[in-house]
Amino acid sequence: MTTTLGQESLIRAAARDNAHWCAAMCRVHGVQGEFGSDAWTAPRRTPLRYPDAVTLAPGTRASALVPRIDTTMPGATVKDSFADLALADHGFTVLFEARWIHRPAGAPARGPDEKWDVVREPAALRAWAWAWSDGQDDEADLFWPGLLTEPGVCVLAGTDSEGRVVAGAVASVHESGDRDGVVGVVGVSNVFAADGDLTSAWPGVLDTVHALFPGRPLVGYEQGDALTAALHQGFAPIGPLRVWLHA
């Protein structure tokens, strides 16, 4: 797949937004990362599922990136936003590959049986995390109450008529400025449906994001069936990414 200049600017915006979301999650867990021109990096190990580095520009040198993260123990990961890092010689293997996605601004019809809102209370966040993790404590424990006061982070919940969380997502925004070529994107991640049917969750996610951030294009990344579901909702793939794991 050839990436056009327009797609590259979108990937830059998506990667930077995703790095800001990862940085927010890390701050909540007491890990302070650093933004450089080439990458966001964390000097000590990050929470479960969250990378130790996210590249922000193509052509990042592995030799300059690896010393900025903690590889003294197995498990460090790097989000290779442009799928162009040479990390095999540094003890990394590819954990998975995915696709950055983009959707122009716009709102679909709301999902038929769900009420959507922004999570604002710790108890509601715990219920959201429990549904997101399918009842797995170690996974649910990722989402600490501090996320509710992180600038630019909105945890979105879809609830049924009895108030149970049946779907959700995270929307993240930051003011990227002209350096990314795209101003004002919204990053969408952690999309889930309690019944596993993401096609039923996406309309509510998109409608809620549109209400919160009207006129902004959406970006994110997905793989497998989750990618297929997103493409069915008007997203288009704009480029590959890889996540590397340090053995």
Side-chain angles (χ1 to χ4, degrees):
M1 176 180 176
T2 301
T3 302
T4 68
L5 290 177
Q7 287 174 325
E8 183 178 303
S9 69
L10 281 170
I11 294 170
R12 284 176 180 265
R16 185 168 289 276
D17 182 272
N18 185 261
H20 275 276
W21 159 236
C22 293
M25 176 64 88
C26 288
R27 280 194 300 272
V28 169
H29 284 258
V31 179
Q32 187 67 44
E34 181 178 356
F35 280 88
S37 60
D38 59 344
W40 171 83
T41 55
R44 64 185 182 89
R45 294 302 304 282
T46 51
L48 179 70
R49 290 183 175 267
Y50 284 82
D52 298 75
V54 180
T55 61
L56 303 175
T60 298
R61 293 184 298 112
S63 60
L65 177 68
V66 173
R68 290 147 63 187
I69 65 175
D70 182 3
T71 58
T72 58
M73 296 180 62
T77 57
V78 173
K79 186 171 290 176
D80 178 4
S81 301
F82 298 85
D84 63 354
L85 281 176
L87 286 173
D89 291 342
H90 296 268
F92 287 81
T93 58
V94 175
L95 180 63
F96 68 84
E97 297 187 350
R99 291 291 182 272
W100 291 111
I101 55 176
H102 163 254
R103 187 183 193 275
R110 183 181 293 277
D113 299 319
E114 300 158 2
K115 176 184 177 182
W116 282 81
D117 207 345
V118 177
V119 173
R120 303 188 188 279
E121 300 295 335
L125 179 63
R126 182 62 183 176
W128 183 97
W130 188 258
W132 171 84
S133 69
D134 196 23
Q136 301 298 310
D137 279 336
D138 58 339
E139 302 274 354
D141 287 345
L142 282 171
F143 294 89
W144 291 6
L147 277 177
L148 301 178
T149 56
E150 275 290 325
V153 173
C154 294
V155 179
L156 311 178
T159 55
D160 64 15
S161 60
E162 297 182 4
R164 293 173 298 195
V165 178
V166 294
V170 173
S172 55
V173 297
H174 79 286
E175 298 305 326
S176 57
D178 291 339
R179 64 175 175 266
D180 292 324
V182 175
V183 177
V185 298
V186 182
V188 181
S189 63
N190 294 278
V191 179
F192 74 91
D195 64 3
D197 181 12
L198 293 179
T199 59
S200 66
W202 266 115
V205 173
L206 296 174
D207 194 42
T208 307
V209 170
H210 174 75
L212 291 169
F213 309 106
R216 295 193 183 208
L218 278 61
V219 293
Y221 74 91
E222 298 289 359
Q223 60 173 320
D225 291 343
L227 174 61
T228 300
L231 299 183
H232 285 164
Q233 297 297 327
F235 283 88
I238 54 175
L241 68 92
R242 295 189 184 109
V243 173
W244 295 80
L245 172 67
H246 190 260

